[in-house]
Amino acid sequence: MDLSVIVCCYKGEETIEECLESLCAQSYENKKYEVIIVDDDSIDDSTARINSFLKNKHFKFPIIKYFKKENKGLSVARNFGIEKSNANLVSFIDEDAKADKNFILNVIKTFKINPQTNCLGGKVELWNEHDYFAKIYHYGYFNAMMTNGAIIGTNMFFRKRFLDEIGGFIPKFDKRGDETALFLKAGNRLSKYVSSDVIVYHTQP
């Protein structure tokens, strides 16, 4: 197993199916990666949407694992997904994002040519381009962060052994700031790289 893609879902009814569709339509061989869905006890229709998707035979599925758990926030959900992973590389994508078709292929390539890297970030494009405020937010604040080399939580990857060594995400960060706290905790053990070839499309408010 080359990669585990972890999708933590909470109130993602409007986008979760398209997110999963994008992960099933990858150019990478589907037997070589797995998708781990962590349903953090969603209070909307997310659970029904996920179950409906999993019954759909239209897609040539990779290995998909679906877990519904008690709501304890994003960091706990991410750590749960890491525990269920069977790959040496783990990826995180939000339920309100969708992956480019070469998303996994380019992740694997990038880690291979950067053997010292233990944390990889990618490019985040705007999904809901039709929304005026979303465009202002994305092309202003969000792009400024990416220009400065930030790794965005909806498009990040790690060597699993690195996450195990530092003890994973800090549980008290239940909504935002979890990746920043992780990076601070890791200190000089962190070796980051950002690739413009690894692309996801993310909705903005």
Side-chain angles (χ1 to χ4, degrees), residues 22-142:
S22 73
L23 296 174
C24 289
Q26 291 292 299
S27 59
Y28 202 69
E29 186 177 343
N30 67 347
K31 292 180 180 179
K32 291 186 175 181
Y33 69 98
E34 63 182 3
V35 176
I36 300 172
I37 307 164
V38 183
D39 182 350
D40 203 25
D41 201 15
S42 297
I43 59 175
D44 62 0
D45 203 34
S46 293
T47 301
R49 298 289 178 92
I50 294 168
N51 283 316
S52 175
F53 178 84
L54 295 177
K55 292 176 183 176
N56 186 346
K57 303 301 183 184
H58 177 69
F59 295 98
K60 190 177 180 182
F61 284 166
I63 296 168
I64 297 183
K65 301 174 183 176
Y66 173 46
F67 303 94
K68 183 167 182 175
K69 58 178 287 298
E70 180 184 358
N71 178 264
K72 291 187 177 180
L74 182 58
S75 288
V76 173
R78 283 181 165 165
N79 287 338
F80 182 90
I82 295 166
E83 289 175 7
K84 301 299 181 183
S85 165
N86 284 324
N88 293 323
L89 300 174
V90 294
S91 160
F92 297 94
I93 182 172
D94 292 346
E95 81 275 271
D96 59 352
K98 58 182 178 180
D100 176 78
K101 69 176 182 178
N102 293 317
F103 171 76
I104 293 176
L105 177 66
N106 287 329
V107 169
I108 301 299
K109 283 183 178 179
T110 304
F111 270 113
K112 282 183 178 178
I113 62 177
N114 294 279
Q116 301 307 312
T117 294
N118 53 34
C119 176
L120 171 66
K123 187 175 182 180
V124 180
E125 300 279 14
L126 181 60
W127 182 351
N128 53 330
E129 277 274 1
H130 61 281
D131 188 292
Y132 177 72
F133 181 79
K135 289 170 74 171
I136 293 174
Y137 180 81
H138 185 85
Y139 294 113
Y141 171 72
F142 221 71

